Amino acid sequence: MSEKKTTRQAEIVFAAMKAIETSGGEMRISDIYETLAQSFPLSDYEKEQTKSGVIRWKAYLNFYSIEVSKVGYLIKKSGIWHLTEEGAKALAAGAGGFFADFHGKYSEIQKAHEVSVIEENAEQPDDLDMLQGQASKGIREYIIKKNPYEFQDLAAALLRAMGYYTPFIAPKGKDGGVDIIAYQDPLGTTSPQLKVQVKHYPTTAIPVDVVRSLGGVLFKDGEVGLLITSGTFTSESKKEARNYHRRLRLIDIDEFVELWIKFYDKMSEEDKTLLPIIPVYFLKS
């Protein structure tokens, strides 16, 4: 049986789902972007920005991932995409067959709810994922304009919103490898105790030696290293962090923005002014 005719949208979605499958069934969206950017042949047109301000091939992926999710082949949670068992089985049909499968099932779901079928156009401005992507882009650009110490203050504010105390925030000058020390209680008597390094390198992927350097200052039981960047991490850095298991955690710019949005309501009014945002609400279908 020959595979159904493929489109570029089908190939991009299929490549992303296969990448998730290869990674054990789950993958952070930023890692999916990185993997496809490095291994999937993208045209100059696909790499351009759409009218909505997002990269075209990413818009294709985000747009059709809504359909993949609605038919039960994909679960999105906190920036991580999880391929379901049914989704993994559907991949056996190849790019064209997989696309026709979920797209057809989603069309039936829409008809059942008397909603018109989505056109194959990833530039529609009312697509929620694209609007969220555009909003995140604006927040990232705001962060990029900050200086390193202002970004360090943002990181400390986020930790406080997450319930940590930050008794130490490094002043200007050498920090000895640690920019922030954070505890779960005012006296620092409970675990984990976070040793945080903050790197404001928006255009640079953090190399593995920085991860190893942070790991080298984790001396005691209950100490956890946290490396926060306004950019990304190299593949070697991510692998090195995984070797530390739960003792070393990486947060890139995408996850930082997600966490800022998630915990914004828990911030003090003073901390909110460091990066002010407002919620936008849509009717849930």
Side-chain angles (χ1 to χ4, degrees):
M1 181 177 178
S2 61
E3 183 181 325
K4 294 182 181 294
K5 183 179 179 181
T6 62
T7 63
R8 286 300 288 175
Q9 291 95 328
E11 292 172 352
I12 291 171
V13 174
F14 183 75
M17 298 305 112
K18 289 295 290 184
I20 299 172
E21 182 182 46
T22 301
S23 294
E26 64 178 48
M27 205 170 182
R28 183 166 293 282
I29 181 60
S30 58
D31 291 337
I32 297 174
Y33 289 159
E34 180 183 348
T35 298
L36 265 62
Q38 293 178 353
S39 62
F40 188 81
L42 295 163
S43 68
D44 291 339
Y45 174 77
E46 290 163 342
K47 294 176 183 177
E48 292 175 353
Q49 286 190 349
T50 69
K51 296 177 182 178
S52 300
V54 295
I55 303 302
R56 184 168 278 106
W57 72 267
K58 293 181 181 179
Y60 292 158
L61 175 58
N62 281 308
F63 186 73
Y64 284 107
S65 71
I66 297 173
E67 297 187 5
V68 181
S69 297
K70 290 292 185 181
V71 301
Y73 291 172
L74 182 70
I75 298 173
K76 300 180 186 178
K77 187 175 181 181
S78 300
I80 299 176
W81 290 11
H82 304 262
L83 184 67
T84 66
E85 184 177 349
E86 293 78 11
K89 291 178 180 178
L91 289 175
F98 178 71
F99 188 88
D101 177 39
F102 76 74
H103 193 50
K105 288 180 178 178
Y106 183 66
S107 296
E108 291 301 318
I109 292 174
Q110 288 185 309
K111 289 177 182 177
H113 291 81
E114 298 182 350
V115 180
S116 61
V117 177
I118 292 179
E119 298 177 359
E120 294 188 10
N121 178 5
E123 294 187 14
Q124 294 188 42
D126 59 344
D127 171 29
L128 182 57
D129 270 12
M130 289 176 64
L131 287 173
Q132 290 174 331
Q134 190 174 3
S136 295
K137 179 174 180 286
I139 297 173
R140 289 196 299 271
E141 290 175 348
Y142 184 88
I143 291 173
I144 288 171
K145 293 177 182 178
K146 297 290 185 180
N147 66 45
Y149 294 101
E150 290 172 332
F151 183 57
Q152 179 176 279
D153 289 339
L154 288 175
L158 176 59
L159 289 171
R160 288 192 291 270
M162 296 172 74
Y164 287 94
Y165 294 84
T166 55
F168 174 78
I169 301 174
K172 293 182 179 180
K174 289 189 176 182
D175 53 36
V178 177
D179 297 310
I180 302 169
I181 293 178
Y183 302 126
Q184 286 191 317
D185 67 277
L187 299 178
T189 60
T190 58
S191 297
Q193 298 174 355
L194 302 185
K195 288 186 173 180
V196 188
Q197 193 169 77
V198 183
K199 296 294 183 183
H200 190 35
Y201 300 153
T203 61
T204 304
I206 301 300
V208 68
D209 60 300
V210 176
V211 178
R212 289 172 179 161
S213 176
L214 179 57
V217 300
L218 303 178
F219 306 117
K220 303 175 183 177
D221 290 339
E223 288 185 341
V224 174
L226 180 61
L227 184 52
I228 301 175
T229 180
S230 55
T232 59
F233 297 94
T234 64
S235 298
E236 291 81 5
S237 292
K238 295 174 184 177
K239 182 178 180 181
E240 183 71 15
R242 287 194 294 269
N243 291 338
Y244 282 87
H245 301 289
R246 295 185 178 182
R247 292 199 67 208
L248 209 159
R249 180 74 159 77
L250 308 181
I251 295 180
D252 62 14
I253 184 62
D254 289 329
E255 185 173 9
F256 185 88
V257 171
E258 290 173 9
L259 291 171
W260 189 272
I261 294 171
K262 180 178 180 179
F263 289 95
Y264 186 72
D265 286 343
K266 298 183 182 299
M267 292 182 183
S268 67
E269 292 303 315
E270 181 180 359
D271 283 345
K272 285 180 179 180
T273 62
L274 298 175
L275 200 173
I277 59 175
I278 57 172
V280 178
Y281 298 97
F282 293 87
L283 179 65
K284 183 177 181 180
S285 60

